[in-house]
């Protein structure tokens, strides 16, 4: 009995971030059905109303913004934007970065020199500055934000994949596979990638939270997702002008942003601990 009681708090501490992240992802997926109102519907007669305000049978549970739009509905739909952008940019940057890192470590020679110097160049530029410059050139928009974030973050995956592949490239099972005539793509995909996927998953989990912050930062500056599409960063940007009179406009999207990034980072830390113990 005492062992069970001792185990339960540790279990909850380990899994509540995953539950929180799952709940936020579910809100993003089910946004059209969970949101009580159209997030873009304006009602100037109900502008800047405090949480709990009710008008014409509509309850503004988290209040309304400067155009009378329901804050709760916009927060729920904003979760969809943040999560889709983060997942897409993580997948795209991960594929590019892992491919570059593995090829550099496996082929060596001039390929390694060229690819890793390219990685060094990208890593020498502040990521947020590179993102701002690139999106200013390409123009703001949903797809452009994904491309920009992927462009700025692939070198981190390349570095991890490079180091992990370098440690495995001369292992007996890899040399045996090459001796039997396996092609480079086959060796990398079937023999090396499965053995380095753990550290890459940790990086991807931590990068997910960072991508959410980057997307919010770009939207805050007006370079991300454009109105009328709901975005947490854009809501924070608008809410700062009303922080003294309508605190709820910025507080609730900021809280949602905090919880999403926190849960992703805690899951990444937990994965890192599990992989470290496995070794």
């Amino acid at each position: 009995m005492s062992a069970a009681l001792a185990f339960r708090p540790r279990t909850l501490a380990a899994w509540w971030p995953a539950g929180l992240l799952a709940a936020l992802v579910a809100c993003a997926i089910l946004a059209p059905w969970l949101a009580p109102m159209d997030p873009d519907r304006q009602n100037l007669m109900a502008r800047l109303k405090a949480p709990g305000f009710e008008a014409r049978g509509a309850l503004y549970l988290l209040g309304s913004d400067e155009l009378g739009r329901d804050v709760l509905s916009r927060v729920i739909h904003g979760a969809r934007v943040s999560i889709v952008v983060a997942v897409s940019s993580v997948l795209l940057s991960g594929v590019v970065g892992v491919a570059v890192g593995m090829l550099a470590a496996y082929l060596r020679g001039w390929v390694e020199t060229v690819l890793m110097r390219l990685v060094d160049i990208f890593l020498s530029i502040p990521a947020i500055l590179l993102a701002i410059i690139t999106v200013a050139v390409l123009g703001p928009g949903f797809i452009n934000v994904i491309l920009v974030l992927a462009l700025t973050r692939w070198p981190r995956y390349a570095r991890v994949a490079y180091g992990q592949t370098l440690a495995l490239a001369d292992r007996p099972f890899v040399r045996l596979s090459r001796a039997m005539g396996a092609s480079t793509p086959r060796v990398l995909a079937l023999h090396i990638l499965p053995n380095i996927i753990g550290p890459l998953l940790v990086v991807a989990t931590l990068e997910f939270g960072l991508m959410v912050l980057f997307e919010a930062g770009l939207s805050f500056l007006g370079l991300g997702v454009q109105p009328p599409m709901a975005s947490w960063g854009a809501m924070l940007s608008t809410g700062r002008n009303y922080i003294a009179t309508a605190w709820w406009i910025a507080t609730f999207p900021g809280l949602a942003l905090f919880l999403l990034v926190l849960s992703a980072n805690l899951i990444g830390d937990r994965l890192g601990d599990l992989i470290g113990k496995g070794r």
Side-chain angles (χ1 to χ4, degrees):
M1 181 69 176
S2 59
L5 290 175
F7 176 74
R8 187 174 300 169
R10 295 175 62 184
T11 303
L12 291 175
W15 287 107
W16 75 261
L20 177 59
L21 182 60
L24 291 170
V25 170
C27 285
I29 295 174
L30 302 175
W33 297 276
L34 290 179
M37 303 182 195
D38 182 347
D40 301 327
R41 190 181 71 183
Q42 302 179 14
N43 181 6
L44 297 181
M45 297 298 293
R47 64 188 301 268
L48 301 177
K49 298 300 182 181
F53 174 78
E54 186 174 359
R56 297 180 180 178
L59 176 62
Y60 294 82
L61 190 62
L62 300 185
S64 61
D65 64 8
E66 78 286 0
L67 295 177
R69 297 172 297 191
D70 181 44
V71 171
L72 175 59
S73 299
R74 291 185 66 76
V75 168
I76 292 175
H77 280 267
R80 168 175 286 190
V81 171
S82 294
I83 291 175
V84 170
V85 169
V87 170
S88 301
S89 58
V90 164
L91 288 176
L92 186 56
S93 60
V95 169
V96 174
V98 170
V100 169
M102 291 177 67
L103 286 172
Y106 186 77
L107 297 178
R108 309 297 293 270
W110 67 269
V111 175
E112 177 187 21
T113 301
V114 171
L115 292 180
M116 296 315 295
R117 293 303 74 77
L118 183 63
V119 169
D120 292 337
I121 291 172
F122 272 86
L123 289 176
S124 66
I125 305 173
I128 189 63
L129 177 61
L130 181 60
I132 291 173
I133 293 174
T134 309
V135 79
V137 172
L138 295 179
F142 186 79
I143 300 298
N144 285 351
V145 169
I146 295 174
L147 295 176
V148 166
L149 294 181
L151 175 66
T152 58
R153 299 307 299 174
W154 67 268
R156 186 174 181 187
Y157 295 94
R159 272 292 181 191
V160 175
Y162 173 78
Q164 295 292 322
T165 303
L166 209 59
L168 295 175
D170 292 326
R171 291 285 183 90
F173 68 92
V174 176
R175 287 186 293 177
L176 178 61
S177 178
R178 284 187 302 208
M180 295 178 65
S183 63
T184 296
R186 182 178 179 86
V187 172
L188 294 178
L190 298 182
H191 299 289
I192 293 182
L193 182 59
N195 288 288
I196 67 172
I197 197 68
L200 293 174
L201 284 177
V202 175
V203 174
T205 305
L206 297 174
E207 283 289 299
F208 174 85
L210 192 59
M211 292 300 98
V212 172
L213 287 177
F214 276 10
E215 183 277 325
L218 291 174
S219 296
F220 183 87
L221 296 172
L223 298 173
V225 176
Q226 296 299 292
M229 185 178 290
S231 168
W232 290 343
M235 294 176 71
L236 287 170
S237 180
T238 300
R240 64 177 173 165
N241 299 319
Y242 301 93
I243 196 66
T245 56
W247 54 266
W248 53 88
I249 299 177
T251 299
F252 292 116
L255 180 61
L257 182 65
F258 164 75
L259 292 175
L260 180 57
V261 175
L262 176 65
S263 61
N265 288 345
L266 290 177
I267 291 172
D269 290 341
R270 180 63 177 166
L271 284 175
D273 292 340
L274 292 176
I275 291 172
K277 290 178 181 178
R279 290 183 178 182

